Amino acid sequence: MRTVGRNVLGPGLIVLVGLVAGCRDSSRAGLKSTASSPPGAAGIGSAGSSRADYAEQRQQFRTKLLRRGPSPQPGEPLETPFGAQRITYRSGDLTLTAFVDPPPADGRKRPAVLFLHGGFAFGAEDWEMPQPFRAAGYVVMVPVLRGENGQPGAFSAFYDEVDDVVGAAEALAGLPYVDPARIFLSGHSAGGTLALLATMTSKRFRAATSLSGSPDLMNVVREQPELVVFDASNPRELELRSAVVYAGSFQCPVRMYYGSMEFWAADPSARTAALARQRGLDVEAVMVPGDHFSSVPPAIAKSIEFFGKHGSM
């Protein structure tokens, strides 16, 4: 189990990595103190704020990074997990790495799941987490994003990484054994946060699920503002990293799953879903039993059921 050391990142960064990025030790004091904050208190994304189009707003905005560098989470040099193929994909002028299942023996085109890992670095467990999707017949790709594990590009905390997700999805759709009309998206923690934003950016996905993602970044900034690598004095920076603000922009059906012990996730997830439904979109927030990690298996099981209802098989 990959962990993020206190002495490396400092106690404050553990809050950020623990809450929205899936730090592998959920017992850390930082995560506990953040999770006990009033859910969604003073968050952004009030009723009526969901009418702007997220994709259009992204085209008109460029994030201002106060620090340009790698991911805040140390990552080991990339090694291809057992059973995976290593490929590259393009995101703007970057060439990045992804791991994907090999072609099926029967030669048939399969539906595929782009799975976004938690945390800010890739580890072997991130390849293992989506195993139930493979067992259900999906081809699975797990991309490594900019600034992670020695990859090129600057970490931007949920902004430029959205382009990486879209680029990885296009690479997945281009594989000869993948049905490009049946591409699904899922992600855990930080990956779940990015999944929400990516579904507002691209029409590529048939349906998407977020597992313990954070639709409102205000809570993180309020707890540890010194950790943000972008100019948080500009409200647009926060808004464009918060799905709740653009809840009317989802391009496909979405389910936001969160654990029954993840009190911080309940209100912002429900608020995002309610705003999306006001716009006539198929978006729901669903609680499943467990904490940040024990909730993942039931959330993936529900994701498989949800994808099945949207033409995966």
Side-chain angles (χ1 to χ4, degrees):
M1 180 174 291
R2 176 160 48 93
T3 60
V4 181
R6 286 182 183 273
N7 293 335
V8 175
L9 296 182
L13 194 50
I14 288 174
V15 176
L16 178 60
V17 175
L19 176 57
V20 293
C23 154
R24 296 312 194 246
D25 183 359
S26 61
S27 64
R28 282 184 166 80
L31 176 57
K32 181 177 179 181
S33 64
T34 303
S36 63
S37 300
I44 57 181
S46 59
S49 64
S50 60
R51 297 188 180 277
D53 182 78
Y54 179 74
E56 291 180 0
Q57 295 299 310
R58 276 185 63 85
Q59 291 178 353
Q60 301 169 14
F61 183 80
R62 186 176 183 86
T63 188
K64 178 182 178 181
L65 299 183
L66 303 180
R67 178 184 67 81
R68 299 188 64 85
S71 153
Q73 183 177 348
E76 298 177 355
L78 289 175
E79 295 185 5
T80 304
F82 178 78
Q85 289 188 155
R86 180 171 180 158
I87 66 171
T88 59
Y89 67 97
R90 296 286 297 176
S91 178
D93 59 356
L94 300 178
T95 300
L96 302 170
T97 296
F99 299 105
V100 66
D101 292 320
D106 60 14
R108 292 172 45 231
K109 286 183 179 290
R110 299 290 180 87
V113 173
L114 183 66
F115 188 82
L116 309 179
H117 66 77
F120 297 137
F122 175 85
E125 69 276 15
D126 297 313
W127 178 252
E128 297 165 2
M129 182 177 282
Q131 177 59 32
F133 287 117
R134 299 186 187 95
Y138 296 89
V139 172
V140 176
M141 175 187 281
V142 182
V144 187
L145 307 181
R146 65 184 62 213
E148 297 180 342
N149 302 81
Q151 295 282 281
F155 173 79
S156 70
F158 307 108
Y159 193 77
D160 291 330
E161 290 83 2
V162 175
D163 294 331
D164 302 344
V165 176
V166 174
E170 294 305 312
L172 177 59
L175 293 176
Y177 52 95
V178 166
D179 182 349
R182 293 186 292 167
I183 304 294
F184 297 83
L185 178 63
S186 186
H188 176 239
S189 197
T193 302
L194 284 170
L196 295 175
L197 297 172
T199 60
M200 297 177 171
T201 306
S202 172
K203 298 181 184 294
R204 169 58 70 185
F205 307 107
R206 192 77 167 258
T209 60
S210 170
L211 320 181
S212 301
S214 177
D216 186 347
L217 264 288
M218 178 62 78
N219 288 332
V220 178
V221 175
R222 184 170 56 249
E223 289 288 337
Q224 297 289 339
E226 72 276 12
L227 302 176
V228 181
V229 297
F230 53 86
D231 181 10
S233 67
N234 181 355
R236 297 273 288 147
E237 295 277 10
L238 283 172
E239 291 171 357
L240 283 157
R241 289 169 168 86
S242 298
V244 65
V245 178
Y246 298 94
S249 296
F250 289 110
Q251 302 291 324
C252 67
V254 173
R255 294 294 180 268
M256 292 177 285
Y257 299 114
Y258 61 92
S260 57
M261 298 174 65
E262 295 184 291
F263 305 109
W264 57 269
D267 180 78
S269 297
R271 186 155 38 99
T272 304
L275 287 166
R277 288 196 300 273
Q278 288 177 12
R279 303 286 287 170
L281 302 179
D282 182 4
V283 178
E284 295 181 13
V286 180
M287 184 176 71
V288 296
D291 60 23
H292 200 58
F293 295 102
S294 62
S295 66
V296 172
I300 290 182
K302 284 188 173 293
S303 296
I304 292 170
E305 179 182 0
F306 176 58
F307 292 165
K309 294 178 179 178
H310 290 278
S312 64
M313 296 296 177

